[in-house]
Amino acid sequence: MRAAVVVFPGSNCDRDLAVAFEQAGFDVSMVWHKDTGLPENIDIVGVPGGFSFGDYLRCGAIAAQSPICQSVVDHTKRGGYAIGVCNGFQVLTETGILPGALLRNAGLKYICKTVPLKVETSNSAFTEGYNAGDVIGIPIAHHDGNYFADAETVAMLQGEDRVAFTYEDNPNGSVGDIAGILSENRRVLGMMPHPERAADLGHGGTDGTALFRALAGVLTPA
Amino acid sequence: MQEPAITPDLIASHGLKPDEYDRILDIIGREPSFTELGIFSAMWNEHCSYKSSKKWLRTLPTEGPQVICGPGENAGIVDIGDGQAVVFKMESHNHPSYIEPYQGAATGVGGILRDVFTMGARPIASMNALSFGETSHPKTRQLVNGVVEGIGGYGNCFGVPCAGGEVRFHPAYNGNCLVNAFAAGLADADKIFYSAASGIGMPVVYLGAKTGRDGVGGATMASAEFDDTIEEKRPTVQVGDPFTEKRLMEATLELMATGAVISIQDMGAAGLTCSAVEMGDKGKLGVRLDLEKVPCREENMTAYEMMLSESQERMLMVLKPELEAEAKAVFDKWDLDFAIVGETIAEDRFLIMHNNICKADLPLSKLSSEAPEYDRPWVPTPEAEPLADVPQIDPIDGLKALISSPNYAAKQWVYEQYDTMVMADTVRTPGLGAGLLRVHGTDKVLSFTSDVTPRYVRANPFEGGKQAVAEAYRNLIATGAKPLATTDNMNFGNPEKPEIMGQFVGAIKGIGEACLALDMPIVSGNVSLYNETDGEGILPTPTIGAVGLIENAEDVIGCEVRDGHVLLLVGETTGHLGQSALLAEVFNREDGDAPAVDLDAEKTNGDFIRDNHEFIKGCTDLSDGGLVLAAFELAEGAGVGVQLDDATTEILFGEDQARYLIACNFDQAEALMIVAGQAGVSISSVGKFTGDTVRIGSSEAPLAELSDLFRSSFAAAIA
């Protein structure tokens, strides 16, 4: 199994995401934002957290214009897997791979803490290690994590079972308590909470481990 | 452009005293140019020259087998085994933060991070020790909100986890808040970079962000007292760009790996001037700069402005000329400026050329070696008045008073605005005692704490100085760590006042004695004087930042307090209430002496905790707030009730030193009592964890109610 982790100049969770992939058995390549293609035979692309280009403009907006993002779009259009965490989720919405947008937190402040998340569906390569309804503790760390989409889109996401995670105690004002969503083909996950920060007993617990393990299971060559 | 004539007013506005100006005339034998005057003022202000404090800083213990590099470089360096080193320092950004809280605090974080990665270390931890005026003061909320957001805004984007810190409120900081920023980084012990230049004719290279007019004269501003014209100084505060800092860090570390770097210095206070002089002086070389080559953000910048700009996110390096292409490629990759702006020269000259016009020509070594140094007159702080009677108080009422004060309430309102988990090595987030971070890819854990009790230092600078170090030591010990070394951030008032200088001298003596006794040498530090507004000084605040090591993560003393655990109190309790939290918060009194610190007892009791860590399920040091606050914090953290047997006010709220509170099961308690008896350590059972209430003697309250109070009071006072 091979994962590629995209590195923007302001990414700061790139190593953390790579470590979580590696611990689940992936070979990981780091891919620089100026690169114009992904490595061959990549099973999944990870877009990590951080402040891709400082996020002085709308978060992820400049990153979405970088050369590598075109390759990520192409990869997902071909049916490839991708996960975007935090800033990575923002980038995936800015590229149009996932619907909606991430607005400033309702409380206007940055929030870093472990929050309870409800697994809404186990029907995806990312969440099949959980049972729908499970409540897991995963850290959040963001200033702009307030998920917004119009009512029609939210209804569609909910109707198509594409809401992957919801907040038990909505920390940022996200519509429908949405913390993470899936693409139409269920192969792209964007989420504000950081599962890679909860995949190690020595740091943040292991409630995120099942996500990476499930991916490894699905993506293991037969 | 016509440069201003050198007049007494101009000299005074540069913060130079008449006798200091005479010294300049002696050194160069002529009137200085405008640019030269600016350079002298930048080098000789208190902030850069340590002219009032140097004499006393020299007395601090700075050596030990664990020390790789002590004070004098950008940061101190300590060996943590396996060829690894931790690089750390604490530095103040007090004046800028008061003038412009967000940017002042943000650039304080930026500056200290740069000090760390300049030495070749990747930053892995930050802490912030903040002191504000009383919450009812009209400026306080704005300052707290701005400072916390600024720290978060910079550190979160840069991507360094916050490991802890302090937040306090006291009217003495109404006109002068304190923002002390700590950073630590990890480096290979054999790949550390220093500032001393070497080789003649080597290129001096400018890296990072462009130079603008921001911060011109900042260091001189930071060396003056405040008055009501302070708003006019806002333009002297720099503006931070953490995204550029992050790129500068990555590029610098990558550049160092190419082998191209001979020496490196970040541009902090007094920017280009200080960094160039530092590299030349340490390498016993001269430096020539051609200012037209400096990347500028604004048009028509003068030599004076460029030499004094404090624009952020900049570095100066001396590079191996044969590796210039490799070096430039790294900076191109990160889209940062890279410009050769001068060279090292053999003569002892600091030669500043701008479009082939000489703007300054000074003997470089004399800029630092001939800097004024003062033996300021000082008077010892008079002995504190004896403590007046303290009435007994209902224990729960006293506890409620403490935990509803923003000084002792939970600080999650602050810490949740900082990324405490980036880098995915956080073993313990801020909240209770020292923060813990794993050394990436190893089983080693580093412990970080920052401490001082300014009321103690005011009452008794010597004991208060000792206490700050002792409390840091205990906070490290309580996590199971071996204390390694210390950084000090000395925040005081106007040193030209003998009583303020007396506070400084007393505190230094206390800190020195404690660091020596507890084997925690000072490896770096910073002095911030003139923390006064309209002649009113702050509480003397020597913040102590300290780092400890746990060689194996299994030896961390965790927070596994359970129902049924007993509470053991280690150390002697006499019930010292002078300068206590109880007095200040409940009785609005600040009388009596600071508690005395018995350094032998500190060492003995600290060794006892570390040697017996396997019997200990939870541990915290006792500091301000005494037994009752420590017991409550352990209980609250574990979500289990607690009973304390003794309800005497001085036993519960006394602040005697060298004490710890331990949670463990009955069998472990027995074992600990036996070992303590053999080691001559005072230990006693003081209660147990049980149920869902806090019961002290016959007084009782539900834990949930107290917990709500503890967790809501800070925001209620500030947000």
Side-chain angles (χ1 to χ4, degrees):
Chain A
M1 304 153 311
R2 298 187 60 196
V5 172
V6 175
V7 184
F8 300 107
S11 297
N12 60 30
C13 304
D14 43 335
R15 184 185 79 184
D16 310 352
L17 188 57
V19 168
F21 272 128
E22 279 164 5
Q23 282 174 349
F26 285 87
D27 288 326
V28 181
S29 324
M30 307 306 272
V31 184
W32 186 234
H33 67 104
K34 291 178 184 172
D35 290 357
T36 50
L38 291 164
E40 298 277 306
N41 304 321
I42 283 295
D43 296 304
I44 183 166
V45 177
V47 189
F51 289 69
S52 45
F53 283 84
D55 288 348
Y56 297 125
L57 198 62
R58 213 170 54 236
C59 300
I62 296 181
Q65 305 303 317
S66 61
I68 196 64
C69 275
Q70 189 52 52
S71 305
V72 176
V73 170
D74 295 344
H75 165 83
T76 58
K77 277 187 180 158
R78 287 192 304 267
Y81 285 87
I83 178 172
V85 174
C86 198
N87 191 226
F89 184 17
Q90 294 162 343
V91 173
L92 292 181
T93 61
E94 288 291 335
T95 55
I97 295 173
L98 291 173
L102 283 310
L103 311 181
R104 184 134 295 188
N105 293 345
L108 303 180
K109 293 205 183 292
Y110 184 96
I111 312 168
C112 175
K113 62 176 175 183
T114 298
V115 300
L117 284 189
K118 187 169 161 200
V119 181
E120 290 289 336
T121 177
S122 59
N123 178 21
S124 81
F126 305 94
T127 55
E128 67 171 41
Y130 303 104
N131 296 312
D134 282 357
V135 175
I136 56 177
I138 305 283
I140 57 168
H142 57 245
H143 204 303
D144 300 79
N146 179 356
Y147 183 75
F148 179 80
D150 57 37
E152 204 176 322
T153 307
V154 172
M156 174 191 73
L157 290 171
Q158 289 166 339
E160 295 176 2
D161 192 28
R162 285 167 58 189
V163 176
F165 302 101
T166 52
Y167 299 109
E168 285 283 275
D169 183 11
N170 194 335
N172 54 28
S174 291
V175 59
D177 301 327
I178 290 173
I181 57 170
L182 295 159
S183 61
E184 199 174 350
N185 68 1
R186 314 187 80 76
R187 290 187 170 196
V188 181
L189 170 69
M191 63 190 294
M192 286 311 295
H194 288 267
E196 83 283 9
R197 293 188 182 187
D200 179 344
L201 202 54
H203 163 98
T206 53
D207 281 2
T209 306
L211 187 152
F212 295 98
R213 285 215 185 122
L215 272 177
V218 169
L219 297 174
T220 300
Chain B
M1 197 193 303
Q2 184 65 43
E3 291 194 337
I6 308 298
T7 63
D9 278 354
L10 187 75
I11 294 163
S13 74
H14 279 75
L16 290 162
K17 300 271 152 69
D19 57 323
E20 292 175 341
Y21 183 69
D22 289 344
R23 189 190 276 260
I24 293 173
L25 295 180
D26 281 351
I27 290 172
I28 62 177
R30 58 176 168 80
E31 180 178 85
S33 71
F34 181 53
T35 303
E36 287 173 337
L37 186 72
I39 290 172
F40 273 108
S41 93
M43 292 299 300
W44 285 9
N45 64 59
E46 190 67 55
H47 186 80
C48 295
S49 73
Y50 294 87
K51 61 192 170 190
S52 300
S53 57
K54 237 191 279 184
K55 169 187 160 81
W56 296 102
L57 296 175
R58 282 194 203 101
T59 66
L60 290 169
T62 59
E63 287 171 359
Q66 71 272 43
V67 177
I68 295 175
C69 173
E73 284 288 336
N74 284 295
I77 307 178
V78 175
D79 191 345
I80 56 166
D82 311 310
Q84 293 182 302
V86 59
V87 177
F88 65 96
K89 188 184 181 183
M90 187 177 259
E91 203 165 80
S92 63
H93 232 216
N94 303 335
H95 288 62
S97 300
Y98 190 79
I99 297 174
E100 165 50 53
Y102 185 99
Q103 294 298 345
T107 53
V109 173
I112 197 68
L113 289 169
R114 230 158 27 248
D115 279 335
V116 165
F117 69 74
T118 300
M119 303 204 72
R122 179 174 288 271
I124 58 162
S126 69
M127 293 194 285
N128 307 282
L130 312 176
S131 305
F132 298 105
E134 57 200 328
T135 52
S136 59
H137 188 271
K139 213 165 154 58
T140 300
R141 283 178 187 218
Q142 177 220 348
L143 286 173
V144 176
N145 278 278
V147 163
V148 170
E149 266 180 48
I151 289 169
Y154 206 99
N156 298 344
C157 178
F158 181 85
V160 63
C162 175
E166 304 172 90
V167 187
R168 73 175 58 83
F169 300 89
H170 190 282
Y173 304 104
N174 279 349
N176 194 131
C177 64
L178 301 184
V179 174
N180 294 176
F182 169 101
L186 188 67
D188 288 341
D190 61 351
K191 293 194 186 72
I192 287 163
F193 290 80
Y194 296 98
S195 55
S198 70
I200 293 159
M202 295 295 160
V204 173
V205 179
Y206 172 112
L207 305 164
K210 294 184 199 299
T211 296
R213 291 192 170 92
D214 51 330
V216 171
T220 304
M221 171 274 288
S223 305
E225 284 183 40
F226 278 167
D227 53 32
D228 49 16
T229 64
I230 170 185
E231 291 297 331
E232 295 166 15
K233 292 182 172 160
R234 202 150 166 253
T236 61
V237 179
Q238 317 86 323
V239 177
D241 175 0
F243 173 59
T244 296
E245 176 106 332
K246 156 81 172 159
R247 289 183 294 149
L248 185 61
M249 184 262 295
E250 297 289 357
T252 300
L253 296 181
E254 232 175 276
L255 182 62
M256 286 167 166
T258 67
V261 178
I262 295 173
S263 79
I264 175 164
Q265 178 74 27
D266 83 298
M267 290 193 231
L272 202 48
T273 295
C274 261
S275 55
V277 169
E278 181 94 11
M279 291 203 299
D281 187 49
K282 288 223 172 98
K284 300 197 179 346
L285 292 166
V287 172
R288 196 198 77 232
L289 297 178
D290 300 310
L291 294 184
E292 66 280 3
K293 294 176 183 162
V294 170
C296 285
R297 195 168 63 214
E298 300 174 57
E299 285 179 13
N300 302 320
M301 284 189 64
T302 64
Y304 176 91
E305 289 167 336
M306 279 190 253
M307 293 309 291
L308 267 64
S309 163
E310 294 190 6
S311 290
Q312 298 289 291
E313 294 92 24
R314 301 180 301 158
M315 289 277 191
L316 206 60
M317 299 192 195
V318 176
L319 288 187
K320 291 179 186 160
E322 66 275 18
L323 292 176
E324 186 192 320
E326 285 88 334
K328 187 164 185 320
V330 170
F331 274 73
D332 287 346
K333 173 186 166 189
W334 291 95
D335 299 315
L336 291 164
D337 271 300
F338 175 102
I340 295 177
V341 296
E343 63 173 354
T344 56
I345 53 180
E347 312 94 287
D348 178 19
R349 276 173 96 179
F350 191 40
L351 182 60
I352 307 302
M353 305 295 292
H354 192 201
N355 298 322
N356 293 320
I357 298 166
C358 175
K359 290 293 183 180
D361 188 356
L362 299 168
L364 186 143
S365 66
K366 296 212 158 77
L367 286 170
S368 43
S369 70
E370 292 295 312
E373 183 178 335
Y374 297 120
D375 184 358
R376 302 260 190 217
W378 60 280
V379 292
T381 303
E383 241 176 72
E385 295 288 322
L387 179 66
D389 279 347
V390 180
Q392 293 288 311
I393 180 174
D394 176 82
I396 295 289
D397 289 349
L399 174 61
K400 282 183 177 172
L402 291 187
I403 62 179
S404 62
S405 153
N407 279 310
Y408 302 100
K411 306 289 193 299
Q412 85 277 5
W413 183 90
V414 175
Y415 293 119
E416 286 177 6
Q417 294 189 54
Y418 304 152
D419 195 337
T420 52
M421 293 183 259
V422 65
M423 302 182 95
D425 280 308
T426 304
V427 176
R428 187 183 299 169
T429 52
L432 184 64
L436 295 175
L437 292 163
R438 184 174 53 194
V439 177
H440 189 69
T442 74
D443 284 331
K444 289 185 286 193
V445 173
L446 291 168
S447 185
F448 298 96
T449 186
S450 116
D451 299 283
V452 63
T453 312
R455 276 195 311 271
Y456 294 173
V457 187
R458 182 180 57 186
N460 187 332
F462 178 69
E463 291 298 331
K466 279 163 67 182
Q467 195 277 338
V469 177
E471 187 175 338
Y473 171 85
R474 292 197 300 270
N475 274 321
L476 299 178
I477 292 278
T479 63
K482 176 182 165 52
L484 287 179
T486 306
T487 180
D488 61 339
N489 199 151
M490 310 290 291
N491 308 274
F492 289 76
N494 181 347
E496 295 163 42
K497 296 179 182 170
E499 58 278 19
I500 299 286
M501 201 57 208
Q503 292 177 337
F504 183 83
V505 171
I508 284 276
K509 287 181 175 177
I511 289 168
E513 193 167 304
C515 286
L516 198 61
L518 301 174
D519 191 18
M520 296 166 72
I522 300 270
V523 294
S524 58
N526 168 248
V527 178
S528 171
L529 301 174
Y530 298 96
N531 288 291
E532 300 206 355
T533 299
D534 296 329
E536 279 294 310
I538 56 162
L539 293 186
T541 311
T543 311
I544 294 296
V547 178
L549 174 68
I550 303 160
E551 285 183 18
N552 191 326
E554 286 178 0
D555 297 331
V556 167
I557 299 177
C559 302
E560 297 149 32
V561 179
R562 302 276 181 271
D563 200 314
H565 279 170
V566 297
L567 280 98
L568 298 182
L569 179 61
V570 171
E572 300 267 3
T573 302
T574 63
H576 182 98
L577 284 175
Q579 299 299 333
S580 63
L582 177 80
L583 276 194
E585 300 291 347
V586 175
F587 299 108
N588 199 22
R589 284 168 50 183
E590 298 189 355
D591 57 331
D593 201 353
V597 180
D598 176 346
L599 293 167
D600 290 336
E602 292 285 1
K603 189 82 174 61
T604 307
N605 297 353
D607 287 345
F608 170 76
I609 299 285
R610 268 185 21 93
D611 291 346
N612 297 288
H613 65 84
E614 73 266 32
F615 299 120
I616 299 173
K617 291 294 160 193
C619 183
T620 180
D621 94 302
L622 267 62
S623 51
D624 41 355
L627 170 62
V628 74
L629 191 60
F632 171 76
E633 287 184 354
L634 279 181
E636 204 276 340
V640 54
V642 64
Q643 290 179 9
L644 292 174
D645 306 329
D646 198 317
T648 326
T649 294
E650 51 272 28
I651 299 298
L652 290 172
F653 294 92
E655 298 183 1
D656 308 287
Q657 299 295 299
R659 297 189 302 160
Y660 301 83
L661 193 61
I662 291 172
C664 60
N665 67 35
F666 189 76
D667 291 345
Q668 291 160 335
E670 265 195 328
L672 283 168
M673 300 276 231
I674 292 167
V675 185
Q678 290 161 348
V681 167
S682 165
I683 191 166
S684 58
S685 170
V686 294
K688 64 178 173 188
F689 292 99
T690 185
D692 55 6
T693 64
V694 174
R695 209 174 95 202
I696 307 169
S698 59
S699 186
E700 187 169 8
L703 177 65
E705 178 198 326
L706 296 174
S707 183
D708 277 350
L709 191 62
F710 181 58
R711 296 201 166 262
S712 63
S713 295
F714 191 94
I718 283 307

